[in-house]
Amino acid sequence: MTKARLLVSAQGRPLRIMFADEARFGRMNRPRPCWAPKGVRPDVACQLIREFTYLYGAVCPKDGTCVFLILPTADTECFQIFLNTLAKKYPRSHILLFVDGAGNHNSGDLVIPSNVTLSPLPPYSPQLNPQENIWDEIREKVFKNYALKSMDAVYDKLEEAALYIERNRKIVKSIASFPYIELHLPHMHGQHDSVQGDRP
């Protein structure tokens, strides 16, 4: 955080605090509870087909904005693409991006964009990352009890999920605004640019 403060001061850019993660989605699903009329046992589709892809995401708890990208694997190359996309979306801001300790997040081969600073979360603490709650929302509201027949159907569902989240910033803020963020980062958390990305 000290590095981010110094860069923000030197560059004269507003600071945007975001949390990033990637999650696997595909044709292997797990049945979830659902409503049914009293006395009726619902039929829920289930399949174990090992075809999947990854949705990379970053959430800003302050204003509820998110950035998503569908990529084939959870490796350094794909994370680099996601970082570059994030940096280009907010070129006039400096992004303090919190990530977990996955190998693709701290690889020496990464080229960190000049307007991004990576900050690791404590080990084994997914509960500190609001992006984890975004995955839960997507699985519950968009992927719940679907047995998708092709990877094209998976991609379509992921695009639907990204649009659903991006269009519901109030919901995102309600599930991503963890108390510890306001408590520990209050002096940074109020500095943000336009919620639609940086103006040209």
Side-chain angles (χ1 to χ4, degrees), residues 6-194:
L6 292 174
L7 286 170
V8 166
S9 177
Q11 297 171 351
R13 292 173 170 173
L15 184 68
R16 172 168 285 269
I17 297 173
M18 303 188 80
F19 292 77
D21 193 28
E22 59 273 332
R24 189 168 69 179
F25 292 86
R27 301 185 63 202
M28 181 184 296
N29 71 318
R30 182 181 66 186
R32 289 174 171 248
C34 61
W35 292 102
K38 187 176 182 180
V40 175
R41 184 174 183 178
D43 290 328
V44 175
C46 181
Q47 64 184 13
L48 298 174
I49 300 175
R50 297 181 182 276
E51 295 179 345
F52 52 83
T53 190
Y54 286 83
L55 185 62
Y56 283 67
V59 60
C60 176
K62 177 65 178 180
D63 58 23
T65 56
C66 293
V67 176
F68 292 107
L69 203 58
I70 302 170
L71 293 165
T73 60
D75 62 10
T76 301
E77 182 179 1
C78 286
F79 186 55
Q80 181 73 68
I81 293 170
F82 181 69
L83 281 181
N84 294 344
T85 300
L86 193 63
K88 289 178 181 178
K89 183 173 178 65
Y90 301 106
R92 296 187 179 182
S93 298
H94 193 89
I95 304 164
L96 177 59
L97 188 65
F98 288 89
V99 294
D100 62 27
N104 60 324
H105 296 164
N106 53 36
S107 169
D109 293 330
L110 282 175
V111 179
I112 310 299
S114 62
N115 65 326
V116 175
T117 296
L118 296 184
S119 184
L121 290 165
Y124 309 109
S125 57
Q127 72 278 7
L128 296 180
N129 191 342
Q131 185 61 42
E132 295 283 355
N133 286 19
I134 303 300
W135 302 143
D136 289 341
E137 178 74 4
I138 287 174
R139 294 187 193 282
E140 179 65 24
K141 297 295 174 61
V142 183
F143 275 81
K144 183 176 181 178
N145 294 334
Y146 275 93
L148 299 170
K149 297 185 180 300
S150 68
M151 284 305 297
D152 284 341
V154 174
Y155 299 137
D156 289 343
K157 273 290 177 187
L158 287 175
E159 291 176 4
E160 177 186 340
L163 288 174
Y164 163 69
I165 295 296
E166 289 171 356
R167 292 171 178 172
N168 289 279
R169 291 199 301 269
K170 289 185 178 179
I171 292 176
V172 173
K173 287 175 66 176
S174 71
I175 65 177
S177 296
F178 290 5
Y180 92 89
I181 298 173
E182 293 286 355
L183 193 63
H184 294 287
L185 305 174
H187 59 292
M188 298 175 132
H189 202 47
Q191 305 177 43
H192 285 86
D193 49 292
S194 167

